[in-house]
Amino acid sequence: MSSFDRVNHDILMGLVAKRVADARILRLIRGFLTCGVLADGLVGPTDEGTPQGGPLSPLLSNLMLDELDKELERRGHCFARYADDCNIYVRSVRAGERVMASVERFLARRLKLKINKAKSAVAPPQRRKFLGFSFTGGATPKRRIAPQAVARFKERARELTRRTQGASLVKIVEKLSRYLIGWRGYFGFCETPSVLRALDQWIRRRLRSIAWKQWKRGRTRYAELRRRGVGRELAAKTAGSAHGPWRLSNSPALNIALSNDFFLNGLGLASVAESETA
C-alpha cells in the first residue's frame, strides 16, 4: 500500500527511539539506513527509504506502520496488514473511497508516506489479493488463491518442466517436487481444493508431454506404451498420431501408460492437493 523507498529517516528514528533507549543501537540503525546503495559499481548516498531486502527492513516497516494500526483500531475498522501490504474492509464503495482518502491523508501528514496508487484501489474483496490470497464471492466467501499467484505457480512450473532441458523424468520430478512441497505449505491453506486438484492434473499432463517428447520415435513410443499396459491397437494409433506432445498428453493411452499412481507412488511426485484421487 505505501512506498518504503521513500521513508523519512527522522520520523522512523523517532519511532524507534520510543522503544529503544540504547544510543549505540540507535546509531547502528541510523547507519543501516544511511549506508548507501551500490549502483553501476558506485555507492550512492541514501537520504530516505529502507534498504530493500535488508534484514532490519521488515522490522522497521512494522515499527513505522504500527502508527497506522493504532489509528485504524481507534476508528474501529476491520483490517489486515503485513509489512506495507494492508487491506481495510468496509461496507460500501462510498465508505471505501472515504476511508482511502482519510488514510492517505493520515499517512502523508503523520508519517510522510505516500500510498502506491498503482497497487491501491477500492474494490470488492474478491477482486483484490492479500499475500497471494483472495476470496470467492457469494453469501459465504471462501479463501482462494489469487489468480496472480496461480499464474506465478504455472510460470515457475514451466521453468522446472521444460522439455528442452535434457534431464530424465526422474530428475525433473525430484526437482519439481521440492518446489511443490514448499508451495503447498503456503497455499494449501486455501479453501478451494478444486483449484489445487486442477493444478495437480496440469502438472501431470506436462510431465506426460515430456515423456512423450523424450521417447522421440514412433517405434520407441509404441514399445513404451505396450510395455506400460496399453493395448496393441490403441498403442499403434497413438504412436502414429500426428498430434503434438501437449495434446497427446491428455490421451487415453498416455493416461494408462503414465498413470497418476505412476507419478505419485512410482516417481514420488508431490501433490499440491492434500489428497489426490482424480
Side-chain angles (χ1 to χ4, degrees), residues 76-101:
H77 288 311
C78 293
F79 68 96
R81 182 183 69 79
Y82 183 86
D84 61 344
D85 193 357
C86 182
N87 281 9
I88 304 171
Y89 302 99
V90 295
R91 292 184 179 275
S92 67
V93 173
R94 180 176 295 181
E97 291 171 347
R98 185 175 64 251
V99 170
M100 172 78 85

Side-chain angles (χ1 to χ4, degrees), residues 20-238:
V20 178
D22 192 324
R24 294 170 300 174
I25 298 296
L26 293 175
R27 285 196 298 271
L28 184 63
I29 294 174
R30 172 72 78 167
F32 169 79
L33 293 172
T34 60
C35 64
V37 293
L38 182 65
D40 299 324
L42 299 174
V43 176
T46 49
D47 301 319
E48 58 184 9
T50 59
Q52 276 200 340
L56 274 181
S57 293
L59 174 62
L60 295 176
S61 69
N62 275 329
L63 278 175
M64 192 84 166
L65 289 179
D66 185 54
E67 296 291 304
L68 174 63
D69 292 346
K70 290 176 178 176
E71 177 66 15
L72 295 177
E73 289 172 354
R74 186 186 66 78
R75 298 182 186 184
H77 288 311
C78 293
F79 68 96
R81 182 183 69 79
Y82 183 86
D84 61 344
D85 193 357
C86 182
N87 281 9
I88 304 171
Y89 302 99
V90 295
R91 292 184 179 275
S92 67
V93 173
R94 180 176 295 181
E97 291 171 347
R98 185 175 64 251
V99 170
M100 172 78 85
S102 65
V103 167
E104 187 173 0
R105 287 194 300 270
F106 171 82
L107 289 171
R109 292 173 182 173
R110 181 74 66 85
L111 302 176
K112 306 298 183 188
L113 289 175
K114 290 183 179 180
I115 284 180
N116 188 327
K117 298 285 190 179
K119 296 183 179 180
S120 302
V122 176
Q126 60 268 28
R127 293 187 189 172
R128 303 298 294 167
K129 67 180 180 68
F130 183 67
L131 303 179
F133 287 95
S134 184
F135 294 96
T136 60
T140 309
K142 291 183 178 180
R143 186 174 53 253
R144 69 185 179 104
I145 305 169
Q148 300 94 320
V150 173
R152 285 194 297 272
F153 169 86
K154 288 191 170 184
E155 182 180 352
R156 179 59 179 151
R158 286 189 185 98
E159 293 175 2
L160 294 170
T161 57
R162 289 196 310 272
R163 293 197 299 264
T164 57
Q165 61 183 298
S168 69
L169 203 60
V170 172
K171 289 295 184 182
I172 291 173
V173 167
E174 182 182 334
K175 186 165 57 173
L176 175 64
S177 290
R178 289 196 293 268
Y179 172 69
L180 297 180
I181 291 169
W183 193 89
R184 181 184 63 200
Y186 184 82
F187 287 103
F189 183 60
C190 75
E191 296 175 317
T192 51
S194 61
V195 174
L196 299 179
R197 289 194 294 270
L199 290 175
D200 271 338
Q201 292 163 5
W202 179 80
I203 284 288
R204 290 194 299 271
R205 187 173 177 184
R206 285 195 63 82
L207 293 173
R208 289 184 183 110
S209 73
I210 289 173
W212 190 249
K213 186 76 172 178
Q214 290 180 345
W215 293 342
K216 293 183 179 179
R217 296 178 178 82
R219 286 185 179 181
T220 304
R221 289 170 173 174
Y222 176 79
E224 288 289 347
L225 292 176
R226 291 288 292 132
R227 185 170 69 85
R228 296 166 187 270
V230 180
R232 290 179 182 275
E233 185 177 346
L234 182 57
K237 181 180 178 181
T238 305

